[in-house]
Amino acid sequence: MDDISVIAALVEHKPGVLFKVSNLFRRRGFNIENITVGPIETSDLARMTITVKGDEATRDQVVKQLRKLIEVVHVEVLKPESLVQRELALIKVKVDSPETRREIMDYTSIFRGRVVDVSPESMIVEITGTPDKMDAFINLMLKYGIIEIARTGVTALTRGKASITTSYPLMLELGE
Amino acid sequence: MLVVMSGARALMEALKREKVKVVFGIPGGANLPIYDELLNHDVRHVLARHEQCAAHMADGYARASGWAGVCFATSGPGTTNLVTGIANAYMDSSPVIAVTGQVSRPFIGRDAFQETDAIGITAPITKHNIQPSKASEIPLAIRTAFYVATTGRPGPVLIDIPKDVQTEVEEVEFPEKVKIRGYTPYPPIDPQLVHQAVALIANSRKPVILAGGGVKYSNASKGLLELSETLMAPVATSFMGKGAFPEDHPLSIGIVGMHGNPVANKLVQEADLLIGVGFRFSDRTTGKVGEFCSDAKLIHIDIDEAEIGKNKRVDAAIVGDAGEALSMMLKQIREGGFKASEDWGRRLEEVKSQLQAEEEGEGGLKPPAVIKEMRRLLPRNAIVTTEVGQNQMWASLHFKAYMPRTFISSGGLGTMGFGFPAAIGAKVAVPEVPVVDIAGDGSFAMTENSLATSVAENIPVIVVILNNRMLGMVAQWQRLFYDRRYSAVKLDKPDFVKLAEAYGAQGLRPQSLEEFREAFKKALKCDVTTVIDVPIDPEEDVMPMIPPGGGLKDMIEVA
C-alpha cells in the first residue's frame, strides 16, 4: 500500500521557501523520505525533488497542498515507469589490512564508485546510483565497519523529451 | 511612475489604492513610523485594546463587507497576539490583511527586544506572508496581499515590515496589476467534470444540496436557489454556509452536523445524492466521516482542489468557482430535463411538520425563546455574530439567517472571544443595520475589553449574553459524557451590567421574556453599545447533538 512517489516541484528561489514547503509536510503529517533542492541555472526558480511514502490519496494531497503554496510554481508527480533516479553518497569505511583495502576497492569498482580519500585506517568511497544500489553497497560495507555516511537524497528526472521546466510555461498560459 | 517616499507612506498609499477606509490596530515600538504616517491620511483607525480583538474586528469587517479587513500590530507580542485572530480567519477563509511591525533589519535574528519570527509563526495559518526587505517592495507586497487574500479561496495574508524599512526613503512604484506565477485563483472548470456530476443528478431520486461558506464567498446564492428549485432538492448548509440559502425558504432544512437541525440531519442521511457546494467535509458537519452519506453518491464542488478527497472520497468533483460551477450545471440540467421525485418532496414536508409539532410549547427565559424573539425584532438584513460555545449553537439552531453575510461566527477554530470584536468590525462595515453579538458569559469575558473600543469609537452594537455563569458547552459535555463531574467550569463573575456601565455602555438585565423584549427594543433604539445580561438555567443543554465520535444517525434529540 505504502508506495514511494517522486514529486518534482518548481519553486521561487527565495529565502524561506524551503521552510514553507517542509513545514507544510510537518503540519499535514506527510512523511517525507527525502528532499533535494537546487537552483535552476536558466531561471530564478529552484527545483525540489521530494520522495514521499504513502498511498495514492496521500500523494494526491501532497501535490494539492504543495500547489496551494504561492511560492510553488509547478508540481508534477514523476512517472515511476520512466524515472531516472540518482543519489550520491560518501561512505567512510574502516580499513584494518591491505586485504580489506583491496576488497573494498573491488566492490567500489563493481559498483562503479570511486575511492576519493585514503588514510592508514580508513577510506572514503563516492558512490552514485539508485537508492537500491546505495543500500546494497552500504550493506556490503557493514562488515568492515562504517565510520560515517553522507547521503544526498534522491534527485530524479523522467526519461525522454518531457520536462517539467518546459511544461511549466504551458501551465501558466492555461492559468491566465 | 516612480515616486520618492518612505516605506510607511508607501504602505498607506498602497492601502488607499486597495480602497481601505478603516484599519483596526494598536501602535507599538516597531510600527511607530506607520502610526505617524497614519496622521497624514484619511483612513479611519479603530483602536483595539488587544491585538486579538483587532484581528477579529478586521475579520468581522471582511465577512460583513465582502472586502478585506485590515489590522495593524507591532512586533513581538503584538504579532503573537494577532496569531489567534489570524488562525481564526484562516480556518474560516476570511480575507484579513495583517500588517505587523518588525525590528529593524540589523536586529533581525538577534533576539532583539520584541523580536519574533512573524513569518515563521504565521506561515501555517496564513494563505501567504511577505516580509518586504526594502521600502520599494512595499507597494507590490500590498497589491499581492490583497489579490491573494480576496481571490480564489480567500484567506489571511500577513505583511511583516521591519521598522527601518518603514522609515527608509526610496523610489517606489505602484503596480496596477500583479502576476504571480504560482497562483491560479480561478481554475477553469472542466466541462467534462460538470457532465459527470449532472449524470449523477439525472439518476438521483432523493438529492440533497449541502451549501458551505464557499457559496457566500463566491456570491453564488442565486445559483444555489435556482439549482434547488430546479431539482426541488432540500438545501442544508454547513455551519459556515448559514445564510447562503434563506432559512425561511420551503426547501431550507437548516444546518447539518454536530448541533445540526434534526430535519437536516435526517434528510441528509436519507439522500441518495449529496451535492456539496463550497464546503470541506469538516468533522463538525459530517460527524463520523466514514458514515456520512455512506449510501449516497457524492458531488463535491470547491475552488480549493486540495479539499477534494481530503476528508472524504467523492463520486464526482468540480474544482472551480461555486457560482460558475452552478450555472454550468444548471444549463446542462435544463437541457437534459430533470424530473423531481414527488415522494421526496412529500418526505421533506413530513419530516418538517413532525419537527415543528415537537418544537411547540417553549416559553420562559430559555435560550431558544430569547433568540427567536430577537429574530422577530430584527430586520431581515440585521447582522448577528456569535461567541463560541452553547450560545453559538443555540444561535445557529434558532436564529434564522435570510441572506449571506448576516450570520458571522467562528466555525473552524472555534475561538471564544470572537463574536464581540467581530460585531464591532461588522458594524463599521455596515453601520446602517443593527449588529448583535449572541454571547455566552465565558466567551464574552475573553474580549470584553472591546467595550472600550465600541464606546470610545462610537460603534454601537448589542451584546446579548446568555449567562449561565458557566463555561456552558464544557459543562454540557461534562454533564453528558463525564458523569456530571464538573471540572473548572463555574464562572459567576463579573457583573456584566456594572461592567458595561464602567465602560460607558448601557447594561440591562431582564428577568422574563417580556422584559427581554423591552430591553432589546430599547437597545435597538439606543445609539450606545448595550449589554443585555440574560440569566439562564446553567443546566440547559444545546439539543439536538451528535456525541463526539458519532455519526448523524447517533443524534440525541433530548438529553
Side-chain angles (χ1 to χ4, degrees):
Chain A
M1 276 298 278
D2 274 8
D3 297 331
I4 299 273
S5 303
V6 181
I7 295 166
L10 297 180
V11 305
E12 302 281 353
H13 187 41
K14 283 184 188 159
V17 177
L18 178 61
F19 156 73
K20 284 190 181 175
V21 170
S22 57
N23 200 39
L24 167 77
F25 281 88
R26 181 201 53 77
R27 154 159 150 61
R28 297 274 174 191
F30 300 136
N31 196 359
I32 306 188
E33 284 295 295
N34 64 58
I35 181 165
T36 58
V37 196
I40 296 173
E41 294 304 328
T42 51
S43 75
D44 53 354
L45 296 171
R47 180 192 172 106
M48 289 186 182
T49 309
I50 305 161
T51 314
V52 181
K53 211 177 205 175
D55 58 13
E56 198 186 329
T58 308
R59 189 194 61 203
D60 281 355
Q61 263 299 302
V62 169
V63 169
K64 288 169 175 176
Q65 293 292 346
L66 273 173
R67 280 200 203 123
K68 275 179 81 166
L69 291 178
I70 308 290
E71 293 89 344
V72 174
V73 170
H74 182 57
V75 185
E76 266 181 38
V77 179
L78 301 183
K79 289 193 188 76
E81 64 275 13
S82 57
L83 199 60
V84 178
Q85 290 188 71
R86 287 293 180 273
E87 188 176 0
L88 181 136
L90 294 173
I91 303 154
K92 191 183 289 180
V93 194
K94 223 184 269 176
V95 177
D96 49 17
S97 67
E99 293 75 50
T100 309
R101 191 181 311 280
R102 190 69 251 162
E103 279 178 39
I104 293 171
M105 285 172 72
D106 285 348
Y107 281 132
T108 303
S109 102
I110 293 166
F111 276 79
R112 294 168 203 256
R114 291 203 303 156
V115 174
V116 291
D117 181 65
V118 178
S119 79
E121 291 93 26
S122 71
M123 291 168 74
I124 297 177
V125 177
E126 173 198 303
I127 186 141
T128 317
T130 61
D132 281 2
K133 179 180 159 188
M134 317 297 280
D135 291 342
F137 185 79
I138 289 163
N139 276 333
L140 284 170
M141 291 302 108
L142 285 175
K143 67 174 176 188
Y144 304 109
I146 292 174
I147 300 167
E148 202 172 357
I149 302 182
R151 288 176 77 156
T152 59
V154 175
T155 191
L157 284 180
T158 40
R159 291 182 195 282
K161 215 176 92 194
S163 136
I164 74 158
T165 334
T166 51
S167 62
Y168 148 66
L170 288 175
M171 296 294 297
L172 246 195
E173 277 165 33
L174 277 177
E176 284 303 314
Chain B
M1 197 181 70
L2 289 165
V3 208
V4 176
M5 63 175 73
S6 71
R9 169 123 184 256
L11 169 71
M12 293 310 301
E13 296 286 346
L15 289 177
K16 269 196 282 190
R17 281 161 196 262
E18 303 298 335
K19 302 183 184 65
V20 174
K21 295 195 175 60
V22 59
V23 167
F24 306 89
I26 307 187
N31 64 359
L32 273 168
I34 295 172
Y35 271 83
D36 185 63
E37 182 62 31
L38 192 63
L39 297 174
N40 301 330
H41 297 267
D42 184 24
V43 170
R44 182 179 183 187
H45 182 267
V46 175
L47 177 63
R49 298 303 197 268
H50 187 288
E51 286 84 356
Q52 182 187 341
C53 299
H56 291 332
M57 286 171 194
D59 192 340
Y61 179 92
R63 295 192 207 197
S65 69
W67 188 231
V70 182
C71 56
F72 283 177
T74 189
S75 65
T79 301
T80 54
N81 280 350
L82 279 184
V83 164
T84 301
I86 296 172
N88 185 77
Y90 182 72
M91 293 290 275
D92 288 348
S93 308
S94 183
V96 167
I97 309 279
V99 180
T100 50
Q102 181 55 276
V103 298
S104 291
R105 284 166 293 185
F107 290 106
I108 290 178
R110 289 159 197 266
D111 299 325
F113 178 65
Q114 293 195 328
E115 184 191 357
T116 193
D117 175 14
I119 296 295
I121 288 173
T122 62
I125 52 162
T126 48
K127 190 172 170 189
H128 190 41
N129 61 17
I130 311 168
Q131 187 180 63
S133 56
K134 290 189 291 188
S136 55
E137 290 175 11
I138 290 174
L140 180 63
I142 294 295
R143 190 71 270 270
T144 303
F146 277 78
Y147 175 55
V148 169
T150 56
T151 53
R153 179 179 183 170
V157 176
L158 177 131
I159 320 288
D160 188 50
I161 313 179
K163 191 176 180 180
D164 60 336
V165 173
Q166 296 166 30
T167 50
E168 183 176 51
V169 175
E170 280 201 313
E171 279 192 332
V172 301
E173 192 173 8
F174 293 88
E176 283 301 317
K177 280 197 167 160
V178 58
K179 247 180 120 173
I180 307 167
R181 47 191 174 178
Y183 183 58
T184 311
Y186 300 106
I189 293 175
D190 180 350
Q192 190 51 39
L193 298 177
V194 177
H195 194 72
Q196 281 172 19
V198 170
L200 289 178
I201 292 173
N203 285 323
S204 78
R205 303 290 295 157
K206 298 185 284 180
V208 166
I209 301 171
L210 206 173
V215 174
K216 299 198 252 182
Y217 289 128
S218 87
N219 297 316
S221 286
K222 198 167 153 277
L224 178 68
L225 193 71
E226 277 178 45
L227 181 70
S228 70
E229 287 178 350
T230 306
L231 304 181
M232 288 307 285
V235 180
T237 69
S238 70
F239 182 69
M240 287 305 296
K242 192 174 165 73
F245 191 79
E247 291 190 296
D248 55 351
H249 190 282
L251 287 168
S252 167
I253 54 175
I255 73 159
V256 69
M258 181 175 263
H259 289 287
N261 189 313
V263 184
N265 282 356
K266 282 202 169 92
L267 289 182
V268 162
Q269 287 180 79
E270 293 176 21
D272 66 352
L273 173 73
L274 184 90
I275 308 168
V277 193
F279 95 114
R280 62 182 176 94
F281 289 95
S282 121
D283 52 290
R284 289 289 137 138
T285 299
T286 63
K288 197 187 269 176
V289 72
E291 287 176 13
F292 184 73
C293 292
S294 48
D295 299 329
K297 296 281 183 198
L298 301 178
I299 298 172
H300 191 186
I301 301 166
D302 206 290
I303 192 132
D304 180 357
E305 65 161 354
E307 289 305 335
I308 310 292
K310 185 178 85 179
N311 297 336
K312 179 101 180 162
R313 197 178 280 268
V314 296
D315 300 286
I318 302 171
V319 177
D321 177 71
E324 207 184 322
L326 287 173
S327 68
M328 285 172 81
M329 280 166 75
L330 273 162
K331 190 163 172 279
Q332 285 198 23
I333 290 166
R334 283 181 185 137
E335 280 163 7
F338 176 88
K339 190 149 171 8
S341 149
E342 283 172 17
D343 290 350
W344 188 227
R346 270 196 294 276
R347 176 68 185 141
L348 167 66
E349 290 304 315
E350 184 184 296
V351 176
K352 271 193 151 177
S353 59
Q354 226 172 31
L355 269 135
Q356 261 149 15
E358 282 171 22
E359 266 204 8
E360 296 299 320
E362 280 171 11
L365 211 50
K366 286 182 179 289
V370 170
I371 290 166
K372 285 175 186 168
E373 193 62 42
M374 272 188 250
R375 176 70 281 181
R376 277 192 281 274
L377 295 170
L378 286 168
R380 284 183 76 84
N381 62 350
I383 294 173
V384 156
T385 68
T386 83
E387 297 296 338
V388 165
Q390 284 183 312
N391 63 85
Q392 178 184 32
M393 294 304 137
W394 277 316
S396 120
L397 277 163
H398 303 292
F399 190 91
K400 302 285 179 227
Y402 302 134
M403 47 184 84
R405 305 193 179 282
T406 59
F407 186 86
I408 295 171
S409 187
S410 170
L413 197 65
T415 313
M416 289 177 71
F418 170 76
F420 181 41
I424 292 172
K427 182 72 181 176
V428 171
V430 194
E432 62 279 10
V433 307
V435 179
V436 183
D437 174 32
I438 297 180
D441 48 321
S443 191
F444 177 64
M446 289 197 180
T447 52
E448 65 191 19
N449 58 2
S450 289
L451 279 167
T453 305
S454 185
V455 173
E457 304 270 351
N458 192 23
I459 308 164
V461 299
I462 304 169
V463 181
V464 176
I465 305 175
L466 301 168
N467 189 347
N468 51 16
R469 298 159 302 283
M470 283 274 187
L471 293 170
M473 189 59 95
V474 183
Q476 175 169 336
W477 282 46
Q478 290 176 349
R479 192 154 52 238
L480 296 176
F481 310 117
Y482 292 84
D483 200 22
R484 304 185 77 88
R485 283 159 55 86
Y486 292 119
S487 178
V489 287
K490 295 213 169 98
L491 298 173
D492 209 29
K493 288 277 181 299
D495 177 333
F496 287 105
V497 170
K498 282 186 182 161
L499 180 90
E501 286 165 1
Y503 279 106
Q506 176 175 227
L508 303 168
R509 183 173 293 122
Q511 298 293 348
S512 66
L513 196 57
E514 288 67 41
E515 282 183 30
F516 171 75
R517 188 179 303 128
E518 291 317 307
F520 198 72
K521 279 185 189 163
K522 192 174 168 189
L524 281 172
K525 277 193 217 121
C526 179
D527 54 6
V528 67
T529 295
T530 302
V531 176
I532 306 177
D533 185 30
V534 183
I536 61 162
D537 182 355
E539 296 272 311
E540 195 85 37
D541 290 323
V542 181
M543 284 299 157
M545 91 171 286
I546 292 162
L552 297 190
K553 68 169 172 37
D554 305 311
M555 178 173 65
I556 314 169
E557 296 201 43
V558 188

